[in-house]
Amino acid sequence: MVNGARLEVRGVSHAFTLEKRLLPVLEAIDFTAEPGEFVALLGPSGCGKSTLLRLAAGLEPPTTGQLLVDGAEISGTDPSRTIMFQDPTLFPWRTVRGNAQLGPEARGTLRADAGRIDEVLSLVGLASFADALPHQLSGGMAQRAALARALVNQPRLLMLDEPLGKLDSLTRLAMQKELVALWEREGFTALLVTHDVEEALLLADRVLVLSDRPARIRADIRVGQPRPRRRDDPGLVALREEILGLLGMAEAA
Amino acid sequence: MSATVLSAGIAGSRSRAAPAWPVGWIAAVAWFGIAALIMVWPDADDLGRTPLLAAVATGFGGVILLLALLSTSPRLAPRLEPFRAAGPWLLVLALALGAWELVTAKLDLLPRPFFVAPQSLLEVFTDDWPRLSDSVWNSLLLVLPGYALGAAIGFLFGIAMGWSRLVGYWAHPVVRLIGPLPATAWLPIAFFAFSSSHGASTFLIALASFFPVTVLTWSGVSSVSKAYYDVARTMGASPWFLVRKVAVPAAMPSVFVGLFMGLGASFSVLVVAEMMGVKSGLGWYMQWAQGWAAYANMYAALLVMALMCSGAVTLLFYLRDRLLSWQKGLVRW
């Protein structure tokens, strides 16, 4: 059990240069994720949610504004802040175990972390597939392997970039449960990007509803329902309607 | 689980129960027939080694007959599967040898000395093998170090080009301009720069393998998905780790294409390089044979060359299959 990190996002705006034109993707984003909190970033596709994760991971610096972890400004990548992408992006030339040990190998702590690698592989249910190659895995198993690779580093902030977006609906339901269980067990702060309202409500403590590009925070919704949650819980159904209304899809509710 | 294995075993043994190999029997008979034809039908001209050729054909037929007999045993049949697959080829080769024998040795339809009877080719191997094997050895001594040197430098240079923007900026136009030139065009410079013809030939062969290996390593490294780097970077990977453990393994499939192309280029340069000044080697042997209008010797050297090149490619592909077993759907050689 690690302590989750506190992530502060202060007045962050970000823009890309695309064919010599400035394309703003994030505008004045301000929020704080408390240690151990599960925050969902919900918004339409292509609104800039993933960019926010890349900034928090330290893969890119923001155009303006500040991102702080436990009060210190983020200046680069760090294994305590890992990101899990929509595609598993497993290295195809490495086995499941070889992929999972990527972080310790890169930092030269392979021997010290051997136990952790085994632990995480069985945690995601891949202990008996440790020697399988990525092309032998199903979509759900590949995403589990990617999750194991992230968790091995004992992240204090785990960023999930639509990690279940490409899975079939049954696998998706199973993995939503597993994600919550892992989050409760490991104690990290979770930042989940999704465009699935139901998924956000099932998993998160808080849902930040983002607008179309450039993304702004439209609403900060606290989900108080105790876990395990049921998707037909009346409180969740009401929140779902509220959020769909904010996204301009009220009739779809 | 055990039930599945059991039923698979039963299914396997059932398919093995009828190992009839009609093509094998026919091929064996064909080889015996060709042997008889070679022996009984008198040659149109005085040729050596006709009985030996007949003996070789009989031997072939005998081996195929033995294989056909052995493959009736259910226990041995699975191991002989590769030979069974080659059955049609064994038959066609017998027929081709027969046709070749007819139009050259027996009927003398094709003009000599440009066309050579099979037994004359065989004669080269039986009578001139010391010189031929010496040439093979010297060619290998020339082509292998040259190829390895060019491939190693090309690999490192390709990685540097793909990884460093600075190296890429300066090297890209040069490689693009100079790379497509045939390596043999550098002959005068090579002979000027290197005092020995051995050094010059090694340089040309290295140059021939250098270019494809460089270009394909470079393109392999630069087409590695950025997501792989992102993943490794968020986990604390150093730039050196990114090169060794991300860029290089991801580029390996492309590198092997370069190694394959470089091998062919090296062998073709070998022949040209050996025609210029070396005293032994397959290229030199071919040149020498041509000078004496000894076309049988030339064809023999060509055959050896083809086997050498094909053997090297087989070895390379074997290596690739071992190293890149993580890929699926590899091309087979």
Side-chain angles (χ1 to χ4, degrees), chain A residues 54 59 77-79 83 85 89-94 102-103 105-107 133 135 149 153, chain B residues 227-238 241 245-247 249-250 325-328:
Chain A
R54 290 183 65 84
L59 286 166
T77 59
D78 191 280
I83 191 165
F85 298 98
T89 54
L90 297 172
F91 292 1
W93 57 89
R94 282 169 173 249
L102 189 69
E105 200 179 321
R107 299 190 295 278
L133 285 165
H135 74 78
R149 182 175 62 183
N153 306 293
Chain B
Y228 289 158
Y229 295 129
D230 283 348
V231 165
R233 274 173 62 206
T234 54
M235 291 175 187
S238 63
F241 184 89
K245 299 291 178 108
V246 184
S325 55
W326 53 269
Q327 274 190 316
K328 35 179 188 174

Side-chain angles (χ1 to χ4, degrees), chain A residues 5-8 10 66-74 156:
Chain A
R6 176 192 176 90
L7 173 73
E8 288 169 77
R10 288 194 194 152
Q66 267 188 317
L67 290 107
L68 303 109
V69 165
D70 296 328
E73 184 157 7
I74 293 173
R156 302 182 55 227

Side-chain angles (χ1 to χ4, degrees), chain B residues 52-316:
Chain B
L52 183 64
L53 183 67
V56 169
T58 314
F60 256 84
V63 170
I64 297 169
L65 189 67
L66 187 68
L67 289 173
L69 273 171
L70 289 177
S71 72
T72 53
S73 140
R75 212 157 44 83
L76 289 171
R79 291 206 197 158
L80 298 174
E81 200 48 51
F83 295 104
R84 292 165 62 96
W89 267 107
L90 295 174
L91 176 60
V92 166
L93 279 177
L95 299 179
L97 178 68
W100 180 14
E101 179 72 13
L102 277 179
V103 294
T104 53
K106 305 304 181 195
L107 299 171
D108 208 5
L109 291 176
L110 294 173
R112 278 185 292 164
F114 307 106
F115 291 92
V116 177
Q119 46 266 61
S120 308
L121 198 62
L122 189 64
E123 192 176 11
V124 176
F125 288 110
T126 57
D127 293 21
D128 206 22
W129 66 265
R131 191 163 17 196
L132 200 54
S133 58
D134 199 44
S135 290
V136 169
W137 177 241
N138 282 306
S139 281
L140 282 175
L141 280 186
L142 200 56
V143 78
L144 289 183
Y147 172 71
L149 188 71
I153 297 174
F155 177 67
L156 295 175
F157 197 59
I159 292 170
M161 277 178 75
W163 186 255
S164 153
R165 202 164 290 181
L166 187 71
V167 177
Y169 175 82
W170 290 106
H172 180 199
V174 179
V175 168
R176 251 183 112 134
L177 189 71
I178 292 178
L181 293 178
T184 41
W186 296 91
L187 214 62
I189 294 174
F191 274 104
F192 173 77
F194 295 88
S195 49
S196 69
S197 59
H198 189 269
S201 309
T202 305
F203 168 75
L204 289 180
I205 291 163
L207 197 66
S209 67
F210 167 79
F211 176 63
V213 175
T214 302
V215 169
L216 278 139
T217 306
W218 165 46
S219 98
V221 169
S222 39
S223 64
V224 175
S225 162
K226 294 281 170 287
Y228 289 158
Y229 295 129
D230 283 348
V231 165
R233 274 173 62 206
T234 54
M235 291 175 187
S238 63
W240 178 230
F241 184 89
L242 293 182
V243 173
R244 272 186 320 131
K245 299 291 178 108
V246 184
V248 169
M252 276 326 266
S254 180
V255 171
F256 268 100
V257 177
L259 287 173
F260 170 65
M261 287 165 62
L263 197 60
S266 286
F267 269 95
S268 56
V269 169
L270 173 74
V271 178
V272 181
E274 281 184 343
M275 287 176 175
M276 313 281 163
V278 259
K279 291 286 172 289
S280 174
L282 283 173
W284 166 85
Y285 189 93
M286 277 186 234
Q287 174 97 330
W288 168 83
Q290 231 169 348
W292 289 98
Y295 289 101
N297 296 60
M298 200 190 74
Y299 291 135
L302 263 179
L303 186 66
V304 171
M305 185 107 188
L307 289 177
M308 242 168 79
C309 198
S310 173
V313 170
T314 305
L315 201 68
L316 189 68

